[in-house]
Amino acid sequence: MDCIFCRIIKGEIPSTKVYEDETVYAFKDINPMAPVHVLIIPKVHIASINEVTAENSAVIAHIYEIAAKLAKELGISESGYRVVSNCGADAGQTVFHLHFHLLGGTKLKVEMC
Ligand code: AMP
Ligand code: ZN
């Protein structure tokens, strides 16, 4: 399986790392949609939310812990931010390794659909 985010985790493709631990990697989005735009991903390959199960869901809670920590460190925890995961074609998912966009640093548009 050739997955761009698995290759980023392995260091085969360069990225601007923001955070890393045993189970999670976070890096700057290459095409930022806001002043702060970080992608937080599990190190284990999970294709999308569709693949989240009782066996692998602990990392999702951990990702939200890291989102809160990074939001604080990046100075957006008080001004506000959004955490988004697109799943499948209708949501516009383009990379099929589960990822959470952490967006902030400006007044974000409220567009739910
Ligand atoms: P999504 O459309 O939700 O699947 O989001 C995929 C995101 O990955 C997009 O915001 C892209 O800009 C971002 N992306 C794709 N390739 C890279 C890369 N090599 N480094 C950083 N971000 C990337
Ligand atoms: Zn992957």
Side-chain angles (χ1 to χ4, degrees):
M1 176 207 21
D2 191 26
C3 169
I4 186 172
F5 285 0
C6 282
R7 293 187 67 193
I8 283 175
I9 291 162
K10 287 184 201 156
E12 294 173 2
I13 293 174
S15 65
T16 305
K17 181 166 81 174
V18 176
Y19 176 85
E20 181 175 18
D21 65 25
E22 283 178 13
T23 59
V24 166
Y25 190 80
F27 56 107
K28 288 190 179 175
D29 195 292
I30 204 167
N31 183 26
M33 306 294 278
V36 173
H37 189 171
V38 171
L39 298 174
I40 311 173
I41 67 177
K43 284 190 170 175
V44 64
H45 182 87
I46 300 170
S48 75
I49 296 171
N50 282 340
E51 309 294 323
V52 175
T53 64
E55 284 68 43
N56 65 18
S57 62
V59 72
I60 311 299
H62 185 52
I63 281 171
Y64 273 87
E65 282 178 44
I66 301 309
K69 170 185 158 63
L70 292 179
K72 199 167 185 182
E73 286 175 9
L74 296 168
I76 57 171
S77 59
E78 298 305 318
S79 50
Y81 58 94
R82 185 171 292 151
V83 178
V84 179
S85 185
N86 298 317
C87 182
D90 278 0
Q93 185 178 6
T94 58
V95 177
F96 284 80
H97 179 126
L98 181 63
H99 51 281
F100 293 78
H101 299 259
L102 171 63
L103 296 150
T106 190
K107 181 87 179 162
L108 300 168
K109 287 186 204 141
V110 180
E111 286 180 2
M112 297 301 280
C113 56

